[in-house]
Amino acid sequence: MGRYLQIRVSAWTFSEDEVEKAWPSLWKLVWGDGGDAVPKKGVMELALAVFDAVRAGLVEPRVAEALKDKADEADRLYHAIGKALAARDPQKADRLSYELEDCLEALEDIARKF
């Protein structure tokens, strides 16, 4: 890194529309039909939003109970990706990104039932 220029390894979602198409039940569960107050609605934000919705009681108790274990896993993976990126380990972050997407798939399967 330079004295004034900071170099970062980062992760971002290319298309928020693809996130909504991939996980529509989760999207609707945490952001409703709009979610306009949320400036970014990517993969990482969805993982954190599901965790927050479950922990804060923003979803019905029976839905929260069904989602709880996978929501906890999504939160763990969200933070693990952040740590890998901070450590400049893009290979680990990449591996974890697949795990996070798989976790969101499992959460989508659960949310779809409600």
Side-chain angles (χ1 to χ4, degrees):
M1 285 196 308
R3 192 174 326 158
Y4 304 105
L5 183 63
Q6 191 173 61
I7 307 301
R8 295 178 185 241
V9 178
S10 63
W12 72 93
T13 299
F14 178 74
S15 170
E16 291 179 3
D17 292 337
E18 292 300 316
V19 174
E20 184 177 11
K21 287 178 190 174
W23 302 294
S25 299
L26 289 178
W27 182 284
K28 188 169 182 157
L29 182 72
V30 298
W31 291 319
D33 291 325
D36 297 334
V38 179
K40 292 171 73 177
K41 294 184 279 272
V43 174
M44 296 289 280
E45 293 81 13
L46 181 60
L48 196 56
V50 171
F51 175 78
D52 288 346
V54 169
R55 294 273 294 180
L58 301 176
V59 295
E60 295 178 36
R62 66 189 181 99
V63 177
E65 183 60 34
L67 295 171
K68 185 183 179 313
D69 290 342
K70 284 294 180 183
D72 287 346
E73 181 181 345
D75 182 64
R76 180 188 62 76
L77 289 165
Y78 171 91
H79 290 288
I81 290 170
K83 287 179 183 176
L85 294 171
R88 295 189 181 101
D89 189 347
Q91 291 82 13
K92 183 174 183 179
D94 182 62
R95 181 181 53 76
L96 291 166
S97 74
Y98 287 99
E99 290 181 40
L100 179 58
E101 289 176 356
D102 290 345
C103 182
L104 289 170
E105 285 293 328
L107 282 161
E108 175 68 18
D109 289 343
I110 297 165
R112 192 177 295 125
K113 295 175 185 175
F114 296 96

